[in-house]
Amino acid sequence: MKRVSLALISIVSAFAVQSALAQTQDKPKDRGTLQGVKDRGTLSCGVSQGLPGFSAPDDKGNWTGLDVDVCRALAAAIFNDPSKVKFVPLSAKDRFTALQSGEIDVLSRNSTWTLSRDTSLGLNYTGISYYDGQGFMIRKSLKVNSALELNGASICVQTGTTNEQNTSDYFKGNNMKYELIAFGTADETLKAYESGRCDVFTSDVSQLYAERLKVAAPNDHAVLPEVISKEPLGPVVRHGDDQWFDIVKWTLFAMINAEEYAITQKNVDEMAKSSKPELKRMFGTDGNLGEQLGLTKDWVTRIIKATGNYGESFDRNVGAGSKLNIARGLNKLWNQGGLQYAPPIR
């Protein structure tokens, strides 16, 4: 009887273990982010609540922007369809929590890469999509040409951001006096500045250009030339899924490498016929690099057909081809005097 009981216990235990494993395997998060995205049929992408040039919807709900293009490129690489993205607008306060909880698959929302965010939040930055820095916007009527002329100025800033500390460091470091007036949201900060409650509006330079479009007379305001901090912006994913981390990272790298090789939306099909070894590897006609990522051989072709290369996306959304008209500056390619540099696809 004892032997029969032991045998029954063993069978029941084995069945319980198998059932637990089956239940665990049924959870999308345990199958990996890529498989979860495929099963759902859409990519869930966290974006801003409306920052022109980076992520903003039009009156029909169509999202555009540099950050939006990263997510569309991801959807193209996975589904060969850049429209298979659900954009989730998030506040600065909620953006990282939404990623941690699994509400979104990737955060592409003008978020600065810092040591604390990279180590204490359980998140990984996958690269730098935009090199930014904090600056100052003023009324042209003040006839100020440099931030070093702002001694005694009142400054509007959004509370809870690195902009407060950066402003303090800059003014103290240059022995200048100032009055800081903080507000809860970017919209409140802009309204206070426009109504004359302060002389200066400070934020990341890219955001200043975007916010300037919202005031009644944009041409009456100027962004000063000084950049007082480093604000590298880029896509973010959760810790613990190396395959997904690689896919998001190399999607951005593919866009940057494509610009370096002069691969565009218009010529991508022709360039894919090239006999150059580096292009054959990129386009999947030699080797299986795409499959190593968990994608298809033509993953780069899919990306560039959907969004164009990095330079095309930059120009269309924030550069000379956009209302923001921001100079490439540090975001030029490394071989053109900028910092944008992607590891080789080989």
Side-chain angles (χ1 to χ4, degrees):
M1 288 294 294
K2 184 183 289 185
R3 286 197 297 269
V4 173
S5 298
L6 288 173
L8 286 172
I9 290 172
S10 298
I11 292 170
V12 171
S13 298
F15 179 77
V17 170
Q18 289 176 350
S19 297
L21 286 172
Q23 290 175 2
T24 300
Q25 290 168 354
D26 284 340
K27 296 178 180 179
K29 65 179 181 179
D30 291 332
R31 291 200 302 272
T33 306
L34 175 61
Q35 191 58 52
V37 169
K38 287 182 176 180
D39 291 347
R40 192 188 314 125
T42 57
L43 172 74
S44 182
C45 175
V47 291
S48 76
Q49 293 170 306
L51 183 62
F54 289 84
S55 51
D58 61 19
D59 54 2
K60 296 181 180 179
N62 299 313
W63 286 84
T64 59
L66 193 68
D67 290 337
V68 167
D69 277 355
V70 171
C71 291
R72 293 203 186 281
L74 269 170
I78 297 166
F79 299 112
N80 199 23
D81 185 347
S83 70
K84 289 191 173 183
V85 185
K86 175 187 177 183
F87 293 103
V88 182
L90 297 167
S91 67
K93 177 183 176 182
D94 298 331
R95 55 185 162 174
F96 297 119
T97 303
L99 182 58
Q100 292 165 333
S101 68
E103 179 185 349
I104 56 175
D105 304 307
V106 59
L107 177 68
S108 187
R109 187 203 177 281
N110 59 296
S111 299
T112 301
W113 188 349
T114 68
L115 185 149
S116 59
R117 289 175 176 177
D118 205 19
T119 58
S120 65
L121 298 180
L123 306 175
N124 279 328
Y125 278 78
T126 61
I128 300 173
S129 56
Y130 190 93
Y131 288 91
D132 210 347
Q134 186 175 332
F136 302 98
M137 181 166 68
I138 62 160
R139 294 170 186 81
K140 290 181 180 179
S141 60
L142 293 178
K143 300 186 184 302
V144 170
N145 298 310
S146 168
L148 294 173
E149 300 172 23
L150 292 176
N151 188 32
S154 56
I155 302 173
C156 282
V157 66
Q158 184 178 353
T159 190
T161 65
T162 57
N163 300 145
E164 292 178 282
Q165 184 63 56
N166 292 338
T167 301
S168 175
D169 291 347
Y170 181 77
F171 276 80
K172 288 180 180 178
N174 287 286
N175 297 313
M176 297 191 299
K177 295 181 180 179
Y178 69 101
E179 179 189 6
L180 201 66
I181 307 174
F183 299 88
T185 67
D187 284 343
E188 290 173 346
T189 310
L190 181 63
K191 288 178 182 177
Y193 164 74
E194 191 174 15
S195 68
R197 289 190 62 185
C198 51
D199 305 312
V200 184
F201 178 22
T202 187
S203 185
D204 291 355
V205 171
S206 63
Q207 184 164 352
L208 293 179
Y209 276 95
E211 298 290 1
R212 187 174 65 169
L213 296 177
K214 299 178 183 179
V215 301
N219 291 331
D220 291 346
H221 304 263
V223 177
L224 296 177
E226 286 83 5
V227 177
I228 68 168
S229 71
K230 294 188 293 184
E231 308 293 336
L233 313 178
V236 194
V237 297
R238 288 180 292 278
H239 277 170
D241 189 336
D242 287 348
Q243 182 190 38
W244 185 242
F245 174 67
D246 288 342
I247 289 172
V248 177
K249 173 172 55 179
W250 283 98
T251 294
L252 175 60
F253 289 162
M255 294 174 68
I256 296 171
N257 274 313
E259 182 183 9
E260 185 174 341
Y261 286 111
I263 303 167
T264 68
Q265 274 184 309
K266 289 183 178 179
N267 71 13
V268 63
D269 285 329
E270 189 62 32
M271 294 289 277
K273 301 174 185 177
S274 174
S275 60
K276 293 182 179 180
E278 61 270 25
L279 295 185
K280 291 180 70 175
R281 286 190 292 268
M282 284 184 66
F283 289 117
T285 54
D286 181 19
N288 63 341
L289 298 179
E291 292 165 336
Q292 289 178 24
L293 286 170
L295 302 173
T296 58
K297 286 179 177 291
D298 65 342
W299 66 289
V300 173
T301 301
R302 291 181 173 191
I303 289 170
I304 305 308
K305 280 188 174 183
T307 63
N309 63 42
Y310 176 81
E312 289 179 288
S313 178
F314 186 100
D315 182 77
R316 179 173 63 246
N317 292 300
V318 299
S322 74
K323 292 181 179 180
L324 274 68
N325 195 26
I326 301 175
R328 278 290 289 267
L330 296 177
N331 291 288
K332 291 180 180 178
L333 293 180
W334 66 280
N335 55 7
Q336 297 175 4
L339 297 179
Q340 281 295 358
Y341 182 105
I345 299 176
R346 66 168 182 255

